[in-house]
Structure formats: C-alpha cells, structure tokens
mmCIF file of all heavy atoms in Angstrom:
data_model
loop_
_atom_site.group_PDB
_atom_site.id
_atom_site.type_symbol
_atom_site.label_atom_id
_atom_site.label_comp_id
_atom_site.label_asym_id
_atom_site.label_seq_id
_atom_site.Cartn_x
_atom_site.Cartn_y
_atom_site.Cartn_z
ATOM 1 N N SER O 1 0.833 -1.208 0.000
ATOM 2 C CA SER O 1 0.000 0.000 0.000
ATOM 3 C C SER O 1 0.862 1.250 0.000
ATOM 4 O O SER O 1 2.073 1.203 0.202
ATOM 5 C CB SER O 1 -0.933 0.007 1.212
ATOM 6 O OG SER O 1 -0.187 0.098 2.399
ATOM 7 N N HIS O 2 0.221 2.396 -0.218
ATOM 8 C CA HIS O 2 0.915 3.678 -0.277
ATOM 9 C C HIS O 2 0.940 4.304 1.105
ATOM 10 O O HIS O 2 -0.095 4.441 1.752
ATOM 11 C CB HIS O 2 0.216 4.603 -1.272
ATOM 12 C CG HIS O 2 0.146 4.033 -2.651
ATOM 13 N ND1 HIS O 2 -0.791 3.081 -3.007
ATOM 14 C CD2 HIS O 2 0.905 4.241 -3.746
ATOM 15 C CE1 HIS O 2 -0.607 2.746 -4.280
ATOM 16 N NE2 HIS O 2 0.409 3.432 -4.747
ATOM 17 N N ALA O 3 2.143 4.682 1.551
ATOM 18 C CA ALA O 3 2.272 5.146 2.926
ATOM 19 C C ALA O 3 2.951 6.498 3.063
ATOM 20 O O ALA O 3 2.772 7.177 4.063
ATOM 21 C CB ALA O 3 3.048 4.114 3.745
ATOM 22 N N THR O 4 3.736 6.915 2.072
ATOM 23 C CA THR O 4 4.481 8.167 2.186
ATOM 24 C C THR O 4 3.983 9.172 1.156
ATOM 25 O O THR O 4 3.315 8.816 0.177
ATOM 26 C CB THR O 4 5.983 7.931 1.967
ATOM 27 O OG1 THR O 4 6.205 7.569 0.592
ATOM 28 C CG2 THR O 4 6.501 6.823 2.868
ATOM 29 N N LEU O 5 4.366 10.434 1.350
ATOM 30 C CA LEU O 5 3.940 11.494 0.436
ATOM 31 C C LEU O 5 4.446 11.241 -0.975
ATOM 32 O O LEU O 5 3.706 11.403 -1.952
ATOM 33 C CB LEU O 5 4.444 12.852 0.949
ATOM 34 C CG LEU O 5 4.083 14.061 0.080
ATOM 35 C CD1 LEU O 5 2.568 14.215 -0.005
ATOM 36 C CD2 LEU O 5 4.721 15.330 0.618
ATOM 37 N N VAL O 6 5.709 10.810 -1.086
ATOM 38 C CA VAL O 6 6.265 10.532 -2.414
ATOM 39 C C VAL O 6 5.500 9.408 -3.093
ATOM 40 O O VAL O 6 5.226 9.453 -4.291
ATOM 41 C CB VAL O 6 7.768 10.175 -2.304
ATOM 42 C CG1 VAL O 6 8.306 9.690 -3.646
ATOM 43 C CG2 VAL O 6 8.562 11.382 -1.831
ATOM 44 N N GLU O 7 5.104 8.390 -2.340
ATOM 45 C CA GLU O 7 4.336 7.281 -2.907
ATOM 46 C C GLU O 7 2.959 7.750 -3.349
ATOM 47 O O GLU O 7 2.444 7.319 -4.387
ATOM 48 C CB GLU O 7 4.217 6.152 -1.883
ATOM 49 C CG GLU O 7 5.539 5.423 -1.643
ATOM 50 C CD GLU O 7 5.441 4.407 -0.522
ATOM 51 O OE1 GLU O 7 4.361 4.315 0.094
ATOM 52 O OE2 GLU O 7 6.429 3.715 -0.251
ATOM 53 N N PHE O 8 2.316 8.624 -2.564
ATOM 54 C CA PHE O 8 1.017 9.165 -2.960
ATOM 55 C C PHE O 8 1.138 9.934 -4.273
ATOM 56 O O PHE O 8 0.347 9.746 -5.196
ATOM 57 C CB PHE O 8 0.467 10.099 -1.878
ATOM 58 C CG PHE O 8 0.032 9.395 -0.621
ATOM 59 C CD1 PHE O 8 0.279 9.961 0.618
ATOM 60 C CD2 PHE O 8 -0.620 8.187 -0.670
ATOM 61 C CE1 PHE O 8 -0.123 9.333 1.791
ATOM 62 C CE2 PHE O 8 -1.026 7.540 0.488
ATOM 63 C CZ PHE O 8 -0.784 8.116 1.715
ATOM 64 N N LEU O 9 2.146 10.799 -4.376
ATOM 65 C CA LEU O 9 2.341 11.585 -5.583
ATOM 66 C C LEU O 9 2.750 10.703 -6.755
ATOM 67 O O LEU O 9 2.356 10.938 -7.891
ATOM 68 C CB LEU O 9 3.402 12.663 -5.339
ATOM 69 C CG LEU O 9 3.038 13.756 -4.324
ATOM 70 C CD1 LEU O 9 4.212 14.706 -4.143
ATOM 71 C CD2 LEU O 9 1.795 14.525 -4.744
ATOM 72 N N ASP O 10 3.552 9.678 -6.478
ATOM 73 C CA ASP O 10 4.054 8.799 -7.527
ATOM 74 C C ASP O 10 2.937 7.988 -8.174
ATOM 75 O O ASP O 10 3.098 7.487 -9.283
ATOM 76 C CB ASP O 10 5.128 7.871 -6.961
ATOM 77 C CG ASP O 10 5.953 7.214 -8.060
ATOM 78 O OD1 ASP O 10 6.290 7.913 -9.032
ATOM 79 O OD2 ASP O 10 6.253 6.029 -7.946
ATOM 80 N N LYS O 11 1.827 7.836 -7.463
ATOM 81 C CA LYS O 11 0.674 7.160 -8.049
ATOM 82 C C LYS O 11 0.135 7.956 -9.223
ATOM 83 O O LYS O 11 -0.479 7.414 -10.134
ATOM 84 C CB LYS O 11 -0.412 6.973 -6.979
ATOM 85 C CG LYS O 11 -1.616 6.177 -7.446
ATOM 86 C CD LYS O 11 -1.267 4.741 -7.796
ATOM 87 C CE LYS O 11 -2.500 3.942 -8.178
ATOM 88 N NZ LYS O 11 -2.167 2.575 -8.582
ATOM 89 N N GLY O 12 0.378 9.264 -9.181
ATOM 90 C CA GLY O 12 0.096 10.091 -10.349
ATOM 91 C C GLY O 12 -1.341 10.484 -10.536
ATOM 92 O O GLY O 12 -1.769 10.784 -11.641
ATOM 93 N N ARG O 13 -2.141 10.488 -9.468
ATOM 94 C CA ARG O 13 -3.507 10.959 -9.631
ATOM 95 C C ARG O 13 -4.004 11.598 -8.350
ATOM 96 O O ARG O 13 -3.563 11.265 -7.250
ATOM 97 C CB ARG O 13 -4.448 9.828 -10.033
ATOM 98 C CG ARG O 13 -4.485 8.643 -9.083
ATOM 99 C CD ARG O 13 -5.445 7.597 -9.605
ATOM 100 N NE ARG O 13 -5.450 6.419 -8.770
ATOM 101 C CZ ARG O 13 -6.207 5.355 -9.016
ATOM 102 N NH1 ARG O 13 -6.997 5.332 -10.051
ATOM 103 N NH2 ARG O 13 -6.169 4.312 -8.217
ATOM 104 N N ALA O 14 -4.946 12.530 -8.515
ATOM 105 C CA ALA O 14 -5.427 13.301 -7.376
ATOM 106 C C ALA O 14 -6.124 12.429 -6.348
ATOM 107 O O ALA O 14 -6.138 12.737 -5.165
ATOM 108 C CB ALA O 14 -6.384 14.389 -7.871
ATOM 109 N N GLY O 15 -6.698 11.313 -6.800
ATOM 110 C CA GLY O 15 -7.461 10.465 -5.896
ATOM 111 C C GLY O 15 -6.661 9.882 -4.748
ATOM 112 O O GLY O 15 -7.229 9.417 -3.763
ATOM 113 N N MET O 16 -5.322 9.900 -4.864
ATOM 114 C CA MET O 16 -4.512 9.316 -3.803
ATOM 115 C C MET O 16 -4.616 10.107 -2.505
ATOM 116 O O MET O 16 -4.244 9.609 -1.445
ATOM 117 C CB MET O 16 -3.047 9.217 -4.244
ATOM 118 C CG MET O 16 -2.786 8.105 -5.243
ATOM 119 S SD MET O 16 -3.468 6.508 -4.762
ATOM 120 C CE MET O 16 -2.626 6.221 -3.221
ATOM 121 N N ALA O 17 -5.108 11.353 -2.559
ATOM 122 C CA ALA O 17 -5.308 12.117 -1.326
ATOM 123 C C ALA O 17 -6.295 11.403 -0.415
ATOM 124 O O ALA O 17 -6.218 11.508 0.815
ATOM 125 C CB ALA O 17 -5.817 13.522 -1.658
ATOM 126 N N SER O 18 -7.205 10.647 -1.001
ATOM 127 C CA SER O 18 -8.190 9.918 -0.207
ATOM 128 C C SER O 18 -7.530 8.841 0.643
ATOM 129 O O SER O 18 -7.980 8.548 1.756
ATOM 130 C CB SER O 18 -9.234 9.277 -1.127
ATOM 131 O OG SER O 18 -8.627 8.324 -1.986
ATOM 132 N N THR O 19 -6.461 8.231 0.135
ATOM 133 C CA THR O 19 -5.776 7.180 0.883
ATOM 134 C C THR O 19 -5.123 7.741 2.131
ATOM 135 O O THR O 19 -5.066 7.080 3.176
ATOM 136 C CB THR O 19 -4.727 6.483 -0.009
ATOM 137 O OG1 THR O 19 -5.384 5.975 -1.174
ATOM 138 C CG2 THR O 19 -4.055 5.339 0.715
ATOM 139 N N PHE O 20 -4.626 8.961 2.042
ATOM 140 C CA PHE O 20 -4.055 9.630 3.205
ATOM 141 C C PHE O 20 -5.103 9.764 4.307
ATOM 142 O O PHE O 20 -4.863 9.434 5.472
ATOM 143 C CB PHE O 20 -3.519 11.003 2.785
ATOM 144 C CG PHE O 20 -3.086 11.877 3.920
ATOM 145 C CD1 PHE O 20 -1.959 11.576 4.659
ATOM 146 C CD2 PHE O 20 -3.817 13.011 4.254
ATOM 147 C CE1 PHE O 20 -1.553 12.384 5.707
ATOM 148 C CE2 PHE O 20 -3.423 13.824 5.294
ATOM 149 C CZ PHE O 20 -2.293 13.507 6.028
ATOM 150 N N LEU O 21 -6.303 10.218 3.941
ATOM 151 C CA LEU O 21 -7.378 10.372 4.924
ATOM 152 C C LEU O 21 -7.869 9.022 5.433
ATOM 153 O O LEU O 21 -8.192 8.872 6.615
ATOM 154 C CB LEU O 21 -8.555 11.140 4.304
ATOM 155 C CG LEU O 21 -8.462 12.663 4.336
ATOM 156 C CD1 LEU O 21 -9.659 13.268 3.636
ATOM 157 C CD2 LEU O 21 -8.376 13.180 5.763
ATOM 158 N N THR O 22 -7.933 8.049 4.548
ATOM 159 C CA THR O 22 -8.390 6.720 4.956
ATOM 160 C C THR O 22 -7.454 6.122 5.995
ATOM 161 O O THR O 22 -7.884 5.504 6.965
ATOM 162 C CB THR O 22 -8.491 5.788 3.734
ATOM 163 O OG1 THR O 22 -9.392 6.362 2.792
ATOM 164 C CG2 THR O 22 -8.991 4.413 4.140
ATOM 165 N N ARG O 23 -6.160 6.312 5.810
ATOM 166 C CA ARG O 23 -5.195 5.825 6.793
ATOM 167 C C ARG O 23 -5.403 6.501 8.143
ATOM 168 O O ARG O 23 -5.282 5.853 9.192
ATOM 169 C CB ARG O 23 -3.770 6.071 6.294
ATOM 170 C CG ARG O 23 -3.321 5.049 5.252
ATOM 171 C CD ARG O 23 -1.911 5.328 4.772
ATOM 172 N NE ARG O 23 -1.375 4.126 4.133
ATOM 173 C CZ ARG O 23 -0.615 3.217 4.724
ATOM 174 N NH1 ARG O 23 -0.295 3.364 5.994
ATOM 175 N NH2 ARG O 23 -0.188 2.163 4.088
ATOM 176 N N LEU O 24 -5.714 7.785 8.125
ATOM 177 C CA LEU O 24 -6.000 8.478 9.379
ATOM 178 C C LEU O 24 -7.258 7.917 10.024
ATOM 179 O O LEU O 24 -7.338 7.764 11.251
ATOM 180 C CB LEU O 24 -6.173 9.980 9.121
ATOM 181 C CG LEU O 24 -4.923 10.759 8.717
ATOM 182 C CD1 LEU O 24 -5.271 12.224 8.481
ATOM 183 C CD2 LEU O 24 -3.835 10.652 9.782
ATOM 184 N N ARG O 25 -8.242 7.582 9.203
ATOM 185 C CA ARG O 25 -9.519 7.049 9.713
ATOM 186 C C ARG O 25 -9.327 5.684 10.367
ATOM 187 O O ARG O 25 -9.832 5.403 11.450
ATOM 188 C CB ARG O 25 -10.509 6.946 8.554
ATOM 189 C CG ARG O 25 -11.714 6.032 8.765
ATOM 190 C CD ARG O 25 -12.682 6.614 9.780
ATOM 191 N NE ARG O 25 -13.951 5.927 9.729
ATOM 192 C CZ ARG O 25 -14.228 4.759 10.294
ATOM 193 N NH1 ARG O 25 -13.285 4.104 10.948
ATOM 194 N NH2 ARG O 25 -15.431 4.238 10.192
ATOM 195 N N VAL O 26 -8.552 4.811 9.722
ATOM 196 C CA VAL O 26 -8.345 3.462 10.255
ATOM 197 C C VAL O 26 -7.460 3.501 11.499
ATOM 198 O O VAL O 26 -7.642 2.735 12.443
ATOM 199 C CB VAL O 26 -7.737 2.557 9.160
ATOM 200 C CG1 VAL O 26 -7.412 1.188 9.716
ATOM 201 C CG2 VAL O 26 -8.717 2.426 7.992
ATOM 202 N N GLY O 27 -6.483 4.416 11.491
ATOM 203 C CA GLY O 27 -5.681 4.666 12.687
ATOM 204 C C GLY O 27 -4.783 3.514 13.087
ATOM 205 O O GLY O 27 -4.120 2.888 12.267
ATOM 206 N N GLY O 28 -4.781 3.205 14.388
ATOM 207 C CA GLY O 28 -3.857 2.222 14.941
ATOM 208 C C GLY O 28 -4.092 0.803 14.494
ATOM 209 O O GLY O 28 -3.253 -0.067 14.727
ATOM 210 N N LYS O 29 -5.241 0.527 13.860
ATOM 211 C CA LYS O 29 -5.491 -0.821 13.349
ATOM 212 C C LYS O 29 -4.567 -1.174 12.183
ATOM 213 O O LYS O 29 -4.333 -2.344 11.899
ATOM 214 C CB LYS O 29 -6.932 -0.950 12.851
ATOM 215 C CG LYS O 29 -7.977 -1.156 13.915
ATOM 216 C CD LYS O 29 -9.305 -1.423 13.240
ATOM 217 C CE LYS O 29 -10.426 -1.634 14.247
ATOM 218 N NZ LYS O 29 -11.702 -1.935 13.571
ATOM 219 N N LEU O 30 -4.102 -0.148 11.484
ATOM 220 C CA LEU O 30 -3.366 -0.368 10.245
ATOM 221 C C LEU O 30 -1.871 -0.462 10.516
ATOM 222 O O LEU O 30 -1.281 0.424 11.120
ATOM 223 C CB LEU O 30 -3.654 0.776 9.268
ATOM 224 C CG LEU O 30 -3.022 0.652 7.886
ATOM 225 C CD1 LEU O 30 -3.585 -0.551 7.143
ATOM 226 C CD2 LEU O 30 -3.256 1.933 7.090
ATOM 227 N N ILE O 31 -1.270 -1.552 10.050
ATOM 228 C CA ILE O 31 0.164 -1.767 10.203
ATOM 229 C C ILE O 31 0.753 -2.089 8.843
ATOM 230 O O ILE O 31 0.239 -2.934 8.107
ATOM 231 C CB ILE O 31 0.458 -2.928 11.177
ATOM 232 C CG1 ILE O 31 -0.113 -2.608 12.565
ATOM 233 C CG2 ILE O 31 1.954 -3.187 11.278
ATOM 234 C CD1 ILE O 31 0.092 -3.714 13.567
ATOM 235 N N ASP O 32 1.829 -1.381 8.505
ATOM 236 C CA ASP O 32 2.487 -1.635 7.236
ATOM 237 C C ASP O 32 3.233 -2.966 7.292
ATOM 238 O O ASP O 32 3.830 -3.316 8.305
ATOM 239 C CB ASP O 32 3.455 -0.502 6.926
ATOM 240 C CG ASP O 32 4.086 -0.659 5.565
ATOM 241 O OD1 ASP O 32 3.395 -0.415 4.565
ATOM 242 O OD2 ASP O 32 5.259 -1.054 5.501
ATOM 243 N N ALA O 33 3.198 -3.694 6.200
ATOM 244 C CA ALA O 33 3.791 -5.041 6.176
ATOM 245 C C ALA O 33 5.277 -5.024 6.485
ATOM 246 O O ALA O 33 5.803 -5.959 7.090
ATOM 247 C CB ALA O 33 3.555 -5.694 4.814
ATOM 248 N N LYS O 34 5.958 -3.968 6.078
ATOM 249 C CA LYS O 34 7.401 -3.940 6.329
ATOM 250 C C LYS O 34 7.679 -3.889 7.820
ATOM 251 O O LYS O 34 8.604 -4.509 8.319
ATOM 252 C CB LYS O 34 8.017 -2.731 5.636
ATOM 253 C CG LYS O 34 7.882 -2.772 4.123
ATOM 254 C CD LYS O 34 8.468 -1.522 3.496
ATOM 255 C CE LYS O 34 8.226 -1.514 1.988
ATOM 256 N NZ LYS O 34 6.804 -1.433 1.644
ATOM 257 N N GLY O 35 6.852 -3.166 8.552
ATOM 258 C CA GLY O 35 7.014 -3.126 10.006
ATOM 259 C C GLY O 35 6.708 -4.472 10.639
ATOM 260 O O GLY O 35 7.420 -4.915 11.548
ATOM 261 N N VAL O 36 5.684 -5.142 10.136
ATOM 262 C CA VAL O 36 5.314 -6.452 10.685
ATOM 263 C C VAL O 36 6.412 -7.469 10.414
ATOM 264 O O VAL O 36 6.781 -8.253 11.286
ATOM 265 C CB VAL O 36 3.983 -6.934 10.074
ATOM 266 C CG1 VAL O 36 3.696 -8.373 10.484
ATOM 267 C CG2 VAL O 36 2.851 -6.040 10.524
ATOM 268 N N SER O 37 6.981 -7.447 9.225
ATOM 269 C CA SER O 37 8.011 -8.443 8.883
ATOM 270 C C SER O 37 9.256 -8.255 9.736
ATOM 271 O O SER O 37 9.997 -9.193 9.978
ATOM 272 C CB SER O 37 8.366 -8.350 7.398
ATOM 273 O OG SER O 37 8.932 -7.090 7.097
#
C-alpha cells in the first residue's frame, strides 16, 4: 500500500489524497507489512 507522500504523488492521480485520509480514519489498526516483517 501507499504510505508516504512521495508514494502518494508517484501514483500520479489526485485520488490518492483519499488514501491519506483513509489511513488516518483506520488509525492504529493499520500496520504496514514492512514493520510487521
């Protein structure tokens, strides 16, 4: 998934701003796979 500002921009579309807000909404439930591994 997209986690950083550069990754959001690199997706190349305005809709990626929604993923930023969605991550804030899900909050502590969400863990990036790299951290889990």
Side-chain angles (χ1 to χ4, degrees):
S1 65
H2 302 79
T4 68
L5 179 61
V6 172
E7 289 174 357
F8 290 141
L9 294 177
D10 196 41
K11 185 64 177 177
R13 57 180 177 180
M16 286 311 300
S18 63
T19 303
F20 172 70
L21 275 177
T22 302
R23 282 180 162 264
L24 291 179
R25 162 70 166 80
V26 175
K29 281 187 180 182
L30 184 64
I31 299 178
D32 185 74
K34 297 178 185 65
V36 172
S37 63

